[in-house]
Amino acid sequence: MTLASIANALLSEEQLRLVLEALASPAPGDQEQAAKALANRAKIDRANRAQIFGAGAIPPLVRLLRNGTAGGKNQAARALTYLAQNNEIRDAIAEEGALELLVALEAATGRGPRCPPTMALQRLTYHNENNRDAIKRLRAAAKRAQVSRGQNTAVAATPSGDVNASRAREGRCVVCLVAEAKMSFVHGDTEHLACCEACAPEFNVVPEGVRPDERSKCPVCRLGIDRIVRHFTA
């Protein structure tokens, strides 16, 4: 039985052993198929997730996230998303060093609601303040690195403005996705309340003498940001 033939099926104990062996193999195709099989099994129910976690799947999935092909990394992120359904597993994933790798993958591929690393990071923050704080710091560092490399449009093309507008209406920061939005992006006579205090410094405004097309864009409407102000409520 091949890995491809069991990628969408329930796994027996023997098949789980085969999948874990493939996950640790040097063959990129086998690694990707193995991660896909684990993701599909973990998606089904709690018993499957407990079985996979107990079999020691987290370390090889994180290794694939670090060293795999693009497809392998995305399948590893999918598997970690479906596995991270309680804090014991979420903590174990973080302890293996997955948070930094997921943030790096997200920065490389673009953030979006269906992007595997974004989905994994969102699941890892659920009822877990430590992971939430760590991810927020890592995302801020990744954005600072982008700015230092001259990538001064601090929000990627994905997700779309419509998605960010929805997040802004919910009062969430559209950059880290978890903190309360307290900073407004001002553009002309309008503004959008869309960012938390920690993520706001990642955006470039228009210093004197800099062309408007070299400033960061508002993540909600994509207009150039004139200034960033703190939003207060009575």
Side-chain angles (χ1 to χ4, degrees):
M1 181 174 290
T2 66
L3 285 169
S5 70
I6 64 175
N8 294 300
L10 288 172
L11 304 181
S12 66
E13 293 291 338
E14 177 60 23
Q15 288 172 332
L16 179 56
R17 183 189 63 79
L18 171 65
V19 170
L20 290 176
E21 288 180 356
L23 190 63
S25 80
D30 285 352
Q31 293 173 348
E32 183 175 344
Q33 287 292 337
K36 181 179 179 181
L38 292 178
N40 290 337
R41 183 171 175 84
K43 186 177 180 180
I44 296 171
D45 63 35
R46 182 181 303 175
N48 291 342
R49 292 189 285 271
Q51 180 189 29
I52 294 169
F53 176 60
I58 300 300
L61 282 170
V62 174
R63 285 195 294 273
L64 180 59
L65 196 61
R66 178 179 291 109
N67 302 317
T69 62
K73 290 179 179 180
N74 279 329
Q75 290 299 335
R78 285 187 65 241
L80 294 173
T81 299
Y82 295 126
L83 284 170
Q85 302 295 317
N86 65 54
N87 267 338
E88 179 186 6
I89 299 178
R90 287 190 278 267
D91 287 342
I93 291 171
E95 288 169 6
E96 284 294 324
L99 302 185
E100 184 172 3
L101 298 172
L102 287 166
V103 168
L105 181 59
E106 181 186 59
T109 59
R111 188 181 307 178
R114 303 187 69 83
C115 178
T118 300
M119 293 171 64
L121 290 165
Q122 287 176 327
R123 175 53 58 181
L124 287 163
T125 65
Y126 190 66
H127 291 319
N128 195 307
E129 293 293 333
N130 289 336
N131 283 353
R132 182 178 293 112
D133 291 344
I135 290 167
K136 187 174 180 179
R137 289 193 299 271
L138 289 166
R139 278 175 165 161
K143 289 296 181 181
R144 286 194 296 272
Q146 287 180 331
V147 171
S148 71
R149 292 193 298 268
Q151 300 172 352
N152 65 353
T153 54
V155 176
T158 55
S160 68
D162 289 343
V163 173
N164 276 335
S166 175
R167 290 173 180 159
R169 284 193 295 271
E170 295 169 0
R172 286 186 293 156
C173 173
V174 301
V175 178
C176 69
L177 308 181
V178 293
E180 179 184 357
K182 296 181 178 180
M183 307 299 288
S184 291
F185 300 113
V186 180
H187 25 65
D189 296 328
T190 62
E191 64 182 77
H192 281 114
L193 174 63
C195 188
C196 70
E197 291 179 278
C199 294
E202 302 163 21
F203 292 81
N204 295 334
V205 295
V206 184
E208 198 67 37
V210 174
R211 292 184 346 217
D213 62 350
E214 293 181 353
R215 61 188 167 183
S216 290
K217 304 295 191 296
C218 173
V220 178
C221 66
R222 308 304 295 172
L223 291 175
I225 299 171
D226 295 325
R227 62 186 187 279
I228 302 172
V229 298
R230 175 73 160 81
H231 185 84
F232 293 94
T233 55

